[in-house]
Amino acid sequence: MQTDRLKLAVAILLWFAASVAPALAQRPSPQVEDPDLYFLAIGSEHYRYVIENVTRLPAPDQQALLASIEGPRHSASRVADALIQSGARDGILLLSEGPDQMVTRDDVYLAITDLKRMIREDLRAEPDLNPRIVFYFMGHGIGDTASRSLYMLPGNLTFNGAASQTFTIRLIKRSMWAWDVLSAFVYFRSDDSMRHFDDFYPSQLMPDITDPADAFAVLRRQNEFQAIDASRRAQGAYREDGNPPVPFLVLLDNCYGDVAQDLTDIPQLSGLVGMFSLMVDMNFGDLLDEALAYYATAPGNSIRPVADPDDRTQNIGPLALHFVTYLASLKAVEAAPTLGDIRDAFEKSPSPVNDLAAIEGWVPYSPAAGSALAPDTAIAEMIPMGGSAALAQYETRAGTGSSEVTCCR
């Protein structure tokens, strides 16, 4: 019964996603030169179920879901500072600051939306701007080794009940998907005609098929969005002579020490999670052609953070260290690196910056290694190399989560 319900949930989600797919097919080419860089760096270090030492889940479920994390706040701050030093124009640093200021799902989505609005406001003042986006996240996530799906957990989420198919459906619904981040930027256009995509996230349109009221509410939201999208499309929202996409890079530092993060390690869930992830992956996988996405390790796996060579008292995510070391290595380079240059530097084995970063033999995991990155996106310059340093600034935000959100009877 639960498997049939999950198939229904995925079918509803895929039906909706297919209806907005033409936005990708009709996109114009992005601008490729003189980049103006914006960023969102998130360090989610505090988690309600860790703070309260929740023990209501039986083993092995605790092992899969409960653990502290070393270094998210430091890692995100290092990425933000390195991007500013490389010439980023503006950005947002979002950090958990303690048990009353945990990073929530709404905090992340609001920060993404605000970053896009920031870019639009700057473009109205400076129409020749060529925006670029770097997104970095370090915090708890779960996944499965059978697919490319990563589900990032809000800091104020806690758990009751043993692992079950119902539990998993609701947990996935309440998490932040890697596909949420990719779709948020793939569908982003600087022109206001496509602003209806600013608040579009696939996970918000997954119905909780264990709750009929929620399933009907999701269907209503989907119908409302489709009506808005049809109206925008009639107004030329997807015109080919302007309004190009904004090239971007997504970095997901999913490293959690020795703690298992693979939902398929729980026998009663493995078939369900694998089926769901693969079906969603098949539908949203083409988003990977539009930009680069890297993980510290394949979703569902775990590796340890490392000591920061610049501050041995701090741990840093391997992807954060790799990236800031790469940025530092560019200071002697006159030309701005393109997305294709970044892909080549990250995917070589061993990577050319591994020795500098003291991460021997490690290469970031890419869900599309060797990538089918769109040719016109691959040649887009990404890092300004100090070009807008005089204007550089960024906003620091604290998470707003103070009360728990319980999951998932």
Side-chain angles (χ1 to χ4, degrees), residues 85-103:
Q85 293 168 13
S86 297
R89 180 184 178 96
D90 210 339
I92 299 171
L93 175 63
L94 173 60
L95 302 174
S96 62
E97 297 288 359
D100 294 325
Q101 293 179 301
M102 296 170 291
V103 172

Side-chain angles (χ1 to χ4, degrees), residues 27 32 63 74 89 108 129 155 185 197 226 229 247 257 268 276 294 311 314 335 363 372 376 380 396 400:
R27 73 157 180 71
V32 299
Q63 182 185 11
H74 178 70
R89 180 184 178 96
V108 173
L129 213 64
F185 297 129
F197 276 110
Q226 284 187 308
D229 187 60
Q268 63 266 40
F276 177 83
Y294 290 99
D311 183 355
Q314 297 284 349
V363 175
D376 58 353
T396 300
T400 63

Side-chain angles (χ1 to χ4, degrees), residues 213-282:
D214 180 78
F216 283 117
V218 167
L219 285 172
R220 285 196 299 272
R221 287 195 294 272
Q222 290 180 350
N223 289 333
E224 290 169 358
F225 187 93
Q226 284 187 308
I228 295 171
D229 187 60
S231 174
R232 297 290 188 199
R233 200 172 299 221
Q235 298 169 12
Y238 304 136
R239 63 183 186 274
E240 297 186 33
D241 59 342
N243 202 22
V246 176
F248 65 94
L249 171 67
V250 168
L251 305 171
L252 301 171
D253 227 340
N254 57 322
C255 54
Y256 315 107
D258 298 320
V259 179
Q261 302 292 323
D262 186 2
L263 278 175
T264 59
D265 279 347
I266 304 174
Q268 63 266 40
L269 304 182
S270 58
L272 181 80
V273 175
M275 180 188 70
F276 177 83
S277 295
L278 289 171
M279 291 179 73
V280 174
D281 187 9
M282 282 190 296

Side-chain angles (χ1 to χ4, degrees), residues 127-254:
D128 293 332
L129 213 64
N130 291 324
R132 306 288 188 263
I133 295 172
V134 171
F135 176 94
Y136 174 83
F137 178 93
M138 185 175 179
H140 255 302
I142 53 176
D144 64 277
T145 53
S147 80
R148 304 177 291 185
S149 296
L150 177 68
Y151 309 106
M152 297 166 281
L153 302 182
N156 60 337
L157 192 67
T158 190
F159 305 97
N160 59 23
S164 64
Q165 292 184 345
T166 298
F167 177 97
T168 304
I169 291 170
R170 291 179 173 175
L171 177 60
I172 289 175
K173 177 179 171 62
R174 287 160 176 79
S175 67
M176 302 166 288
W177 301 358
W179 301 121
D180 285 347
V181 176
L182 290 167
S183 67
F185 297 129
V186 163
Y187 289 105
F188 173 51
R189 300 294 187 274
S190 54
D191 189 85
D192 281 349
S193 63
M194 289 184 66
R195 66 183 180 274
H196 59 294
F197 276 110
D198 282 0
D199 300 316
F200 168 64
Y201 301 101
S203 67
Q204 294 175 324
L205 298 175
M206 174 188 171
D208 182 350
I209 40 67
T210 66
D211 180 355
D214 180 78
F216 283 117
V218 167
L219 285 172
R220 285 196 299 272
R221 287 195 294 272
Q222 290 180 350
N223 289 333
E224 290 169 358
F225 187 93
Q226 284 187 308
I228 295 171
D229 187 60
S231 174
R232 297 290 188 199
R233 200 172 299 221
Q235 298 169 12
Y238 304 136
R239 63 183 186 274
E240 297 186 33
D241 59 342
N243 202 22
V246 176
F248 65 94
L249 171 67
V250 168
L251 305 171
L252 301 171
D253 227 340
N254 57 322

Side-chain angles (χ1 to χ4, degrees), residues 387-401:
S388 59
L391 300 174
Q393 56 185 316
Y394 66 86
E395 173 191 353
T396 300
R397 297 183 180 182
T400 63

